[in-house]
Amino acid sequence: MKRELLLDVQGLSLTAGAFSLQSLSFQVHRDDYLVIVGPTGSGKTLLLEALAGLVAVEAGRIFYQQQDITAAPPETRRFGFAYQDSLLYPHLTVRENILFGAAVQGRAKAPEIRRRLTELAEVLAIGPILNRHPERLSGGERQRVSLARALLLQPPLLLLDEPLSALDPQTRAGLQQLLRHIHRDEGVAVIHVTHDFAEAMHLGTNMLLLNEGRLWQSGTPQELFARPNSEYAARFLRVENIIPGSIRWQDDQRWFGTERSTRLFGPLPEQGASEWQVGAPSFLAIRASYIRLTREAQTESGPESESGPGPRSVSASVPALAEGQAKECGWPATVTEITFQGSYVEVTCHAGDCWLVHVPIAHWRSLHLQQGETVWLACQVSDLHVVPRAGQETSMDDGLD
Amino acid sequence: MKRELLLDVQGLSLTAGAFSLQSLSFQVHRDDYLVIVGPTGSGKTLLLEALAGLVAVEAGRIFYQQQDITAAPPETRRFGFAYQDSLLYPHLTVRENILFGAAVQGRAKAPEIRRRLTELAEVLAIGPILNRHPERLSGGERQRVSLARALLLQPPLLLLDEPLSALDPQTRAGLQQLLRHIHRDEGVAVIHVTHDFAEAMHLGTNMLLLNEGRLWQSGTPQELFARPNSEYAARFLRVENIIPGSIRWQDDQRWFGTERSTRLFGPLPEQGASEWQVGAPSFLAIRASYIRLTREAQTESGPESESGPGPRSVSASVPALAEGQAKECGWPATVTEITFQGSYVEVTCHAGDCWLVHVPIAHWRSLHLQQGETVWLACQVSDLHVVPRAGQETSMDDGLD
Amino acid sequence: MRRQGEPFSTIVTLITAALCTLLLAVFAGLLGYGETESIRDLFQEPEFRFALRLSLQTSVAATLLATVVAIPCGYFLARNHFPGKVVVDSLLELPIVLPPLVSGVALLIFFGPLLGPFLQEAGIAIVFTPLGVIVAQWFVALPLAIRSFRQAFAAVDPRMEKVARTLGCTPFQSFWRVVLPIARPGILGGMTMTWARTLGEFGATAMLAGVTRMKTETLPMAIYLSMTNGDLSFALAIATVLLLVALLVLTAFKVFMRTEVQL
Amino acid sequence: MRRQGEPFSTIVTLITAALCTLLLAVFAGLLGYGETESIRDLFQEPEFRFALRLSLQTSVAATLLATVVAIPCGYFLARNHFPGKVVVDSLLELPIVLPPLVSGVALLIFFGPLLGPFLQEAGIAIVFTPLGVIVAQWFVALPLAIRSFRQAFAAVDPRMEKVARTLGCTPFQSFWRVVLPIARPGILGGMTMTWARTLGEFGATAMLAGVTRMKTETLPMAIYLSMTNGDLSFALAIATVLLLVALLVLTAFKVFMRTEVQL
Amino acid sequence: ATNLPPQGTAEQVKPVLFAYVGSGIKDPMVELAQMYETKTGIKVEMTFNSSGALLSQLETSKKGDLLLPGSQPYVEKARKAGLVSEVTGPLAYHVPVIMTPKGNPAGITGIRDLTKPHVQLIVPDLESASIGKQALRIFEKAGIKEDVLKRVLTYVETGPKVLTTLQLGQGNAGIGEYSSAIKAKDKVDMVEIEPALNEIEALPGAMVTYSTQPAAAKDFLDFAASEGPKVFEKHGYKTKIEKP
Ligand SMILES: Nc1ncnc2c1ncn2[C@@H]1O[C@H](COP(=O)(O)OP(=O)(O)OP(=O)(O)O)[C@@H](O)[C@H]1O
Ligand SMILES: Nc1ncnc2c1ncn2[C@@H]1O[C@H](COP(=O)(O)OP(=O)(O)OP(=O)(O)O)[C@@H](O)[C@H]1O
Ligand code: MOO
Ligand SMILES: [Mg+2]
Ligand SMILES: [Mg+2]
């Protein structure tokens, strides 16, 4: 089955006050759940509003099912739309709120609309509150009503601006499940702005990272989290280990040499290799959960800790291709801090650089680790991910650490 | 060093509209970082406002350093206070906002105040924006200014109402670090309302769970997450596995027998054993990250899967005390779903009941698991946690799942 | 938050109470001077009854017309920013400055020599007719309506409209079905003020519509004529009726329409 | 969001433009009838200059006094809910209903027979004095100020005050340092309306303060007296000055105070 | 007076006359108009206002048939401006009198008493209101202008307001019109001004030059001239004056 292209955004630009969205291009297919992340003020809301036709586009085109809708007024687009604060109409009951779109068309009493309402009320579990007024509803109820309102006329595309961010985790989890259901079972394409990366991961099939009105990176959520394309993206996406260093050349392969501890990691996977000139200052970016912590080296190559001052001292394991398994590289480190985090333990290790490792509780039990002990860290060579170091170019915004 | 008791709340009750806080009691010591969680509308904001003296208390007492401040007006309490939406004064510059409290006392120009401002500006990295007006600040900047304003007069106690919830994760992480610094290094006791459990875990030394105006549970965050005291708490705190069953008696010990699969888990740790009558309907509550998933049984007792229909068929391993290690119990299960979640893989397993297990990425690599495969689940006996089943009593609120 | 005996909140309450007392005393003085027993007789007089009916009819009509104009104007001013807005703003406030008598003259000039011939052709008579009463009241009360409505519209989150647009509303529909109902309390509050102003209007009305018995004579004019003829207590009796009618209608309207006010 | 040629937004703009045009036409008609060349001469006349000065002085004084009273009242009404509020609300709106002439009578009764003896003992003369001008203007314009301020205060998030309290403010300080500055644009806007009303006030003023030349004669009275004398074009010349002064002052005030209005 | 049949013949449209009438003479004029309507079936619509306002209305609207302001000077003014032609009358006279609160607490007996130091005088504006203008001439004639003006408590904008003000307890003397003093005789006392010093104005009627039905207007004026004095007298106006 060929994937149906629903929305095709080409070079969309617009200005609002001092801010501007700059030449954004991306596509949304019918089976996509597109998650948009980005720092405060990066233009996420503005982008959604532009897609819905609520702000005028200055340059670029938006195609919907091959039709140019760049200048179409919002009421002709019929995309579902929901803001973070649900914005229910205080003068209408919950039922009237949901039926609003149908009422505008004079179809509020049509049998198919009634059926749809009953169906939505069931799925969203809002049957009992249909006759109440919005003011006294809980946050979760409000959001569900807001979703029902947006979904009533079966929009093929749902635009959601941080719809779950004001809710407690339990309510949020329930609504996430619901959104997933709407996406999968009702066949609605969704574009969803969120600040919650777990949510992005959980729901998204695709993801955009916006920053300062520009599309910074796009791909699957997994790609973005595992392989941010820049220091900014790595920091924004909370990659815990961002180790400065540069690209080295050894044994006819590219390696990453750390700056502080002069340790080599690699050989680097071929991804993006062409961009990487030997000597280019860069960062090794790897998530804390991608690093395995054990009491002793488990790979074939033993722990050869030579953190001497020599300029090219190779300390990372250079394993021959292991039996069937992906190549790993490992290195020793000293535990400096242990923080219990509920579902995992955050272990801070020092090995010239500072490494954060997340050890799941269930595994932690068997480690019996103490501060000051030496452990063996390991990660898969294919997880080694290098991003360019851009000097002062990319600002770190609000990052305080 | 004896811990200094700062705040002693005894049976605090108050009514606002149709809602009421009912007889809350808890203590805050000088080195505490108290996190308050609870569903929307559970009275968290109201509680903070009551502590600050912003709403009148109807019954109960609040003692601050042994003094009864129940009826003291807020301006005499001098607790720092910050709302989620920072509420900076639009008519003042950032500097004037921060100096507001000092200006009220006519001390805005005092040398010690100037010093304090410089210091705060440095710590909070707001030096460059001191002369700007609030309206154009980013969310992170606004929050930092709001904190600076609350901190200027060195309050011994800081009350924060969801101060970080509107921020993107990067900004949030920066501010979390900052709050931790203020708490640890400036010796400020903090009461912090949040919806973010990771934040609660990261920052809190103590935690309260509020629901419907009542104190549902208190303890360290770790305690609450690992050992919620009720089905409601377990669901609210997102314990992934809440398996229905009842208490059984076997070999002179208490066990938990599941309802659907008639499997036995135990022997149960002695915690709260007195409450547990044999036969009492209850839940086994265990977090997904507390369960270890392996390809084969790793405990002594092999996988003895007897999920037959017999009423008392014992399938859980009944291990003799293992060598030095805590007792474990394990059971086989079939993998039905695998979801990649960024820093871990969520594996849904079926073994009569449905079990969710979180496997960290770094460990996942070596498993090469496929849907339909049979795996071995194991958890420590000390992690087995049983909560009562309350019938219809505790409502599930917004829970949709 | 408010504690008993907090000096500031006490003072604020006291000032409000004092003002209410002052108003009550002033109105009471009025009642005291009027021959209250004559109020019953008043209702026997056809001239008074006519004036009362005309006052109510024209003030309601003028209020509705002012509302119809002030709603788009208020909405425009609440949502648009443009160079020179401050001048437009002041211009729309000017009719408040003019003594009603002068407003009346201006209207008389406008609807007489200036527009009169055209109106006559169209068969519309404004000068010295009940229609003129409505026009004069409308003109004088309009600025109050515009300012009130503008404040009410400005308080409606524009995103409420945006959501309506995505639900299939044209700009007009989103205004009609969303903005207007949400701004309702403010609109109704503004309308009460507008109505109060039209009900008491005298100077402009007398000038444009004349004070013709049983034709264009409203209650304020009846009061004026009685006063001019030395019949002060009769004038005050009418004024008392005017006050009571206004108090009744205002309160009933607010209760009935459930404006922001709590009972 | 606004697209060129969207019918609704076009209509709204057109209605506003039409109203502005109407007002301009009405005022222009006024100017056309006044002897514009005589305006220059007007300023030579000491009596006119006195009236202009007195008008400005009293209207400013009355506006300030109205502001002082309306601020606590508006705040009280914005923040408190109590049984019977709807009646208090209507009571405070009543002075709008009364024709100014009647308000004047009521004030004269109140400050004359009722309160006169006490005031005299205290050495305060209100009846037939410039002070009476201020009192009358104050009374008539007060309800407008209260309603405006109340709307402005209601729009200030009460949590702004709560934060101020935790920063060491007493209730009064939090009002003075936080609520008032934040409500400033609404307060200033309400003050312009109040001032406009006091500037144009005539009926109540004439009753309470009399129309003694060079003593209690304000511009509206000068206009009225000229008109009484049958001297319409002279009256209109004064009215023109009144209009221009008002337009100038209103606009300048708004620009200077940077109220919500954009230039 | 024309002898129009009491009931209009066939469906003949009755003319309706429009008159500007000084608000001070409302009552007699209403009666007069009713008499005329009974007699001829012609309705006379009247608008009441202060005389100056009436002139302004007439001048700007350029409509109507009749002008019956409070006193002679307004008619003069209107004639000069070409607003009225035909003038008839007087229907009655506008006679200034001294009004005092009941019991005459200041003990006023004549115009010269107004200079006494304890007098608090209420007068209509001396330049605008017609009674005020008359009063000024009286003071000048009596040679007490300076002294009397020192006793003025306040000026008011129209004649009738003097009465209102006195009734509200302000002042102990005022200059008002004879008929209003008569009408309010249970509220104020009246002291007549010495005929030798008094300044009396006639109350005329006039026809508006813009009138579209001059014949009917003229007819009413004639009727008013003949019947008016009787009606006015009934309402307390002086219709005959003793020449000094
Ligand atoms: N109508 C407007 N006029 C002026 N500036 C605007 C307007 N709309 C948006 N902006 C500015 O555009 C920028 C982007 O705003 P937007 O609301 O899209 O950010 P966002 O990514 O949604 O942020 P958040 O995560 O805080 O919701 C902000 O700096 C905002 O101030
Ligand atoms: N002044 C008031 N009058 C009436 N009801 C009130 C008042 N203040 C709070 N409430 C009610 O009290 C309940 C608790 O409110 P509160 O704001 O403390 O909840 P919360 O736990 O902070 O919720 P959230 O997570 O949404 O911030 C709510 O149902 C709210 O509607
Ligand atoms: O008719 Mo007048 O001008 O009131 O004396
Ligand atoms: Mg946004
Ligand atoms: Mg809250």
Side-chain angles (χ1 to χ4, degrees), chain C residues 228, chain D residues 228, chain E residues 22-24 50-52 70 74 94 130-131 158-160:
Chain C
T228 314
Chain D
T228 309
Chain E
S23 49
S50 72
S51 307
Y74 293 107
H94 223 205
S130 53
I131 291 277
T158 60

Side-chain angles (χ1 to χ4, degrees), chain B residues 262 307-313:
Chain B
T262 55
S307 46
R312 305 189 86 220
S313 82

Side-chain angles (χ1 to χ4, degrees), chain A residues 44-45 161-162 193:
Chain A
K44 305 182 294 296
T45 301
D161 191 12
E162 301 184 33
V193 170

Side-chain angles (χ1 to χ4, degrees), chain C residues 58-124:
Chain C
T58 53
S59 63
V60 167
T63 304
L64 293 180
L65 285 177
T67 304
V68 166
V69 175
I71 281 178
C73 274
Y75 183 66
F76 179 83
L77 291 173
R79 286 284 189 264
N80 291 292
H81 297 280
F82 51 90
K85 188 178 177 188
V86 63
V87 178
V88 170
D89 209 60
S90 297
L91 180 68
L92 292 173
E93 243 167 7
L94 273 193
I96 307 182
V97 175
L98 280 189
L101 182 70
V102 177
S103 294
V105 173
L107 288 173
L108 195 58
I109 294 171
F110 185 72
F111 287 106
L114 249 55
L115 232 59
F118 307 100
L119 288 174
Q120 200 157 17
E121 256 172 56
I124 302 170

Side-chain angles (χ1 to χ4, degrees), chain B residues 1 20 30 40 66 94 100 109 112 127 202 228 235 240 242 245 270 284 317 368 370 390:
Chain B
M1 199 179 84
S20 59
R30 190 175 280 287
T40 301
Q66 328 305 341
V94 166
F100 184 86
K109 298 228 163 111
E112 74 274 16
H202 184 63
R235 290 196 189 281
E240 292 86 354
I242 301 179
E270 281 311 291
L284 180 64
S317 67
H368 299 285
Q370 302 273 317

